[in-house]
Amino acid sequence: MAAAKLTGNAVAAAMAGDTNLKPVVQVVDLRSIAVTGAPGSGPRFRAIISDGVATGHALFASQLCDLARSGVVRRGSVVQLLDYIVNNVGPTRNRKAIVILNMEVLVAECEIIGNPALPPESGDSSSNSLRADQFNGAPPNGSMAGSTLNKVIKPSDNAPVIQRSMTGNSLNMVPRPSDNAQVFQPTVQPSYRPAPKYRSHGTIMKNDAPARIIPIPALNPYQGRWAIKARVTAKGEIRRYHNAKGDGKVFSFDLLDTDGGEIRATCFNALVDRFYEVVEVGKVYVVSRGNLKPAKKDYNHLNNEWEIFLEPQSTIELCLDENSSIPAQRFSFSSIDKIENSENNAIVDVIGVVTSVNPSTTIQRKNGMEAQKRTITLNDMSGRSVELTMWGDFCNREGSQLQEMVECGAFPVLAVKAGKVNDYSGKSVGTISSSQLHINPDLAEAHSLRQWFDCGGRDASTQSISRDFTPSASWNEVRKTVAQIKDDGLGMGDKPDWVTVKAAISFIKTDSFCYTACPNVIGDRQCGKKVTKSDSGNWLCDKCNQEFPECDYRYLLQLNIQDHTGTTSVTAFQDRGQEILGCSARELNIFKENKDPRYTDVLINCLYQNYLFRLKVKEEQYGDVRQVKNTVAKVERVDPLAESKFLLDSISRFIP
């Protein structure tokens, strides 16, 4: 843990009566004081605080005792005193003690800073007890004014007998007469100078006081005033939303510090206007003040349980003279063969050589909006390849650059930060709003891949873990007939079986080929749950608890497919349904409602045509009945050339 910066001359200034200082000090000794004489009374705590040079005595008000009792404050903790009083103590009232009424924990524990000398009394641990009536009459804010506090330390040959009485804010210390009696002497301190004030210079707040920089992993909600120094590694677009409180907007950015700690910062509404143009990817800032809340792991992939929500008093200071001590990005790469075993929607970093780039296409997303999509293939030294799907601006930015490089015979290395795994019919990786793509990055992993590919990896055989979007039909390898699905007992195990069936569509259930779906987009996903008409005429989603003037339409096709061995039923959802019928569910529903002849044409055109169906076969529970369900994971019209090659390869296996 890096040492925190303590407020210079803090003890002297506080003892001099400056209760507006709010100094940063360190707890160098902490002991409990038992309270007796009242049911349910818990221990109180006394401490020795240090500014790195001088030390002084302090008492915790009752409302702060839980911090010490739970271990949030302990020996070595660095705290900021926000509210306290100073009492005159001693026989001649020339010594003082601090009663802490409110404080903030800045660093839970670190090495003792400086070389502070403990007062002689701090070494005595005997008779640490108080009577309950000695706390009676204390004001609600926890101060000790008007209360009585007595403490007697057991006599010894070399320790003083100290009796404290805080009646009318006084503390009397009576040393035991002996030859070795310890005498407390006031510490001589340099003259106190108040810390510089903070000045506002517009959107970026310049802080003239030395910033107390702490590592990102040390951040916790118990801290009040803190500062981190970190590089912005990613910045999201401004997103607009609507909820019960009205319309709003939000954006987030990711921070990385020199210790490798990462955290996301989020701004809402007015703070979006204040900070969006200020924050730039790649630059280093000192960020201070903000509210730490648990990170929502559905949308926040960083390895941190907290997320910073900036507030009006938050500041962001640009570090113009920052060197390269903070890396530009932090990766945790997974090899492609490991991605094959990753869970669906897992967030991974992957690096590979780009071996093919498909043209960018425009598709209609589930929310009815059009989007750019581009797919590329990545290979690595594990002998596996994976499909990477780019969305949105990635297609025309990095995608176009990669396409030009591959067409010119250069096969660049691509590092993907924060890609999302999709396990629908194999494993693939897709970009999300917080993803980053780095072409030919200056990384050790990239240099190793470059050397491997140029020295033979280019010609090495690879196996795709993704659904195949090229003419080669690698997913034909597990070919079954319709009859074999039942005869081989497929889908009866703990995991689904994946098979490819060559068959024709013989029947389409048309009375309910689609359903009305929620159009609301949450993060990168559409809700898609079934919606119903409300009394107001809008569409109501029970999951989102919102109403919408328009709904989406999604395919839920029930089909019968058949080959020379038999017939079976299959289910095709949205994307697969659109691939089979060649139009969206919304369009087909309009054709049906308007009695448009194109409705019949669409259905007839796909009947009795040969398709290759990639099926997910799994037994499912329907009430009290268990039934094997066949779900279409991929479908395409049979390509005569690819099918001929497959049949010839199958025949060759039987030739000795």
Side-chain angles (χ1 to χ4, degrees):
M1 181 69 68
K5 183 175 180 61
L6 305 182
T7 302
N9 302 322
V11 172
M15 294 301 186
D18 187 349
T19 57
N20 297 317
L21 177 60
K22 293 182 172 53
V24 177
V25 296
Q26 186 176 33
V27 177
V28 296
D29 190 45
L30 181 64
R31 307 200 178 186
S32 64
I33 306 172
V35 178
T36 60
S41 295
R44 301 303 196 269
F45 289 85
R46 67 172 185 173
I48 304 297
I49 59 173
S50 163
D51 58 15
V53 178
T55 57
H57 293 277
L59 292 173
F60 285 12
S62 59
Q63 65 266 26
L64 301 180
C65 291
D66 283 342
L67 294 177
R69 190 177 299 111
S70 63
V72 174
V73 177
R74 52 189 180 271
R75 184 180 184 275
S77 295
V78 177
V79 301
Q80 183 176 26
L81 307 185
L82 301 178
D83 192 11
Y84 56 91
I85 60 174
V86 180
N87 289 332
N88 295 321
V89 299
T92 59
R93 301 176 63 84
N94 64 341
R95 301 184 63 250
K96 301 179 184 295
I98 298 173
V99 180
I100 304 174
L101 308 179
N102 190 16
M103 66 181 175
E104 294 179 355
V105 182
L106 304 181
V107 179
E109 183 177 11
C110 70
E111 298 295 329
I112 299 301
I113 301 172
N115 189 25
L118 295 180
E121 183 192 351
S122 65
D124 193 322
S125 60
S126 59
S127 298
N128 286 342
S129 63
L130 290 173
R131 296 193 309 273
D133 60 352
Q134 294 169 337
F135 280 92
N136 293 338
N141 65 1
S143 70
M144 306 299 290
S147 66
T148 302
L149 174 64
N150 294 314
K151 178 184 176 190
V152 179
I153 298 182
K154 294 180 180 179
S156 66
D157 291 339
N158 56 2
V161 176
I162 304 175
Q163 183 175 5
R164 297 183 177 180
S165 175
M166 296 187 69
T167 305
N169 293 339
S170 65
L171 175 63
N172 297 317
M173 304 182 64
V174 183
R176 174 187 177 89
S178 76
D179 294 337
N180 298 323
Q182 300 184 25
V183 179
F184 295 93
Q185 297 293 338
T187 304
V188 178
Q189 295 290 339
S191 59
Y192 166 67
R193 292 183 300 172
K197 296 182 179 179
Y198 295 92
R199 298 197 302 270
S200 172
H201 292 286
T203 302
I204 299 181
M205 307 297 290
K206 184 179 179 182
N207 188 347
D208 290 333
R212 298 187 306 279
I213 306 298
I214 64 174
I216 287 177
L219 286 175
N220 64 73
Y222 297 107
Q223 294 163 330
R225 186 169 176 268
W226 47 261
I228 57 174
K229 184 178 182 180
R231 190 183 303 276
V232 176
T233 58
K235 174 184 173 182
E237 298 295 329
I238 297 176
R239 293 182 288 110
R240 301 185 182 276
Y241 62 89
H242 177 81
N243 56 25
K245 297 181 180 179
D247 295 329
K249 53 187 176 181
V250 60
F251 92 98
S252 300
F253 56 96
D254 297 341
L255 295 163
L256 171 68
D257 70 3
T258 187
D259 295 322
E262 293 181 288
I263 196 167
R264 176 163 295 174
T266 299
C267 302
F268 287 91
N269 300 325
L271 295 179
V272 174
D273 300 330
R274 179 180 171 191
F275 289 128
Y276 186 78
E277 298 298 333
V278 172
V279 173
E280 296 183 32
V281 174
K283 293 187 177 181
V284 176
Y285 300 87
V286 173
V287 181
S288 65
R289 300 177 183 265
N291 190 10
L292 269 77
K293 297 182 180 179
K296 296 181 179 179
K297 289 304 181 181
D298 289 343
Y299 311 108
N300 188 342
H301 61 273
L302 299 182
N303 185 24
N304 198 317
E305 61 178 316
W306 306 110
E307 182 172 343
I308 300 172
F309 287 80
L310 296 183
E311 299 177 328
Q313 64 269 29
S314 300
T315 63
I316 299 179
E317 180 182 357
L318 178 64
C319 298
L320 296 175
D321 57 347
E322 174 55 34
N323 55 26
S324 59
S325 62
I326 302 177
Q329 187 54 270
R330 180 190 182 193
F331 294 95
S332 180
F333 291 120
S334 297
S335 59
I336 296 177
D337 61 334
K338 298 293 179 56
I339 295 176
E340 191 172 11
N341 299 319
S342 298
E343 295 183 357
N344 188 36
N345 297 324
I347 302 299
V348 298
D349 299 344
V350 62
I351 188 170
V353 179
V354 179
T355 57
S356 67
V357 181
N358 276 16
S360 179
T361 59
T362 301
I363 67 169
Q364 187 176 36
R365 305 201 72 167
K366 298 175 182 179
N367 59 3
M369 302 294 290
E370 290 188 345
Q372 291 290 106
K373 176 183 178 182
R374 186 193 290 269
T375 54
I376 70 173
T377 303
L378 295 178
N379 290 14
D380 71 2
M381 291 181 282
S382 68
R384 297 287 192 272
S385 64
V386 66
E387 171 189 337
L388 172 69
T389 303
M390 300 179 182
W391 296 97
D393 292 339
F394 290 115
C395 299
N396 296 326
R397 196 170 56 231
E398 290 85 354
S400 297
Q401 184 179 351
L402 291 171
Q403 185 175 10
E404 292 177 3
M405 297 174 74
V406 171
E407 289 176 351
C408 294
F411 297 92
V413 175
L414 179 68
V416 181
K417 174 71 175 178
K420 186 172 72 172
V421 175
N422 188 312
D423 67 355
Y424 200 65
S425 180
K427 293 292 175 65
S428 61
V429 178
T431 62
I432 56 178
S433 58
S434 57
S435 298
Q436 297 176 61
L437 305 182
H438 300 267
I439 301 174
N440 288 329
D442 186 14
L443 301 171
E445 295 88 347
H447 299 320
S448 297
L449 276 171
R450 178 83 278 149
Q451 184 177 9
W452 163 77
F453 189 80
D454 293 341
C455 297
R458 179 195 306 261
D459 302 320
S461 61
T462 59
Q463 182 178 349
S464 176
I465 68 171
S466 306
R467 52 180 179 266
D468 196 1
F469 58 89
T470 62
S472 61
S474 62
W475 50 289
N476 282 331
E477 293 177 358
V478 186
R479 181 76 73 90
K480 296 286 184 180
T481 64
V482 168
Q484 285 175 319
I485 294 176
K486 181 178 180 181
D487 296 341
D488 295 350
L490 300 181
M492 305 296 287
D494 295 334
K495 295 183 178 181
D497 290 309
W498 298 85
V499 297
T500 300
V501 176
K502 177 187 173 183
I505 299 173
S506 59
F507 172 78
I508 301 176
K509 187 177 180 180
T510 58
D511 57 346
S512 57
F513 62 86
C514 67
Y515 68 94
T516 52
C518 175
N520 191 29
V521 177
I522 305 173
D524 296 310
R525 303 183 193 174
Q526 181 187 0
C527 172
K529 294 296 182 181
K530 184 176 177 61
V531 294
T532 56
K533 271 286 183 81
S534 65
D535 295 337
S536 64
N538 291 328
W539 295 95
L540 174 63
C541 177
D542 292 332
K543 179 182 177 182
C544 299
N545 195 25
Q546 294 186 44
E547 292 188 4
F548 305 92
E550 298 290 338
C551 69
D552 192 15
Y553 291 85
R554 297 175 64 85
Y555 276 119
L556 181 56
L557 285 180
Q558 302 293 330
L559 311 171
N560 284 353
I561 63 172
Q562 69 177 40
D563 65 4
H564 63 286
T565 66
T567 302
T568 188
S569 62
V570 300
T571 301
F573 291 98
Q574 175 70 358
D575 293 341
R576 307 293 83 82
Q578 186 163 328
E579 290 173 1
I580 292 172
L581 297 178
C583 68
S584 68
R586 179 184 293 275
E587 290 176 317
L588 190 61
N589 187 66
I590 293 175
F591 293 161
K592 181 180 179 181
E593 291 181 347
N594 296 335
K595 297 182 180 181
D596 192 314
R598 285 178 289 181
Y599 171 70
T600 304
D601 294 340
V602 168
L603 299 177
I604 292 177
N605 286 339
C606 66
L607 291 177
Y608 301 104
Q609 300 291 329
N610 284 325
Y611 291 88
L612 284 177
F613 293 95
R614 174 73 164 170
L615 298 180
K616 174 186 176 183
V617 185
K618 185 71 176 72
E619 185 182 44
E620 296 185 0
Q621 186 85 26
Y622 296 93
D624 298 331
V625 179
R626 296 188 66 84
Q627 180 180 344
V628 173
K629 181 179 180 181
N630 304 314
T631 304
V632 179
K634 180 178 175 63
V635 61
E636 65 180 30
R637 290 282 182 97
V638 171
D639 178 7
L641 178 60
E643 182 67 9
S644 298
K645 289 182 179 180
F646 171 75
L647 294 174
L648 289 172
D649 289 341
S650 300
I651 294 172
S652 66
R653 298 191 187 109
F654 296 96
I655 300 176

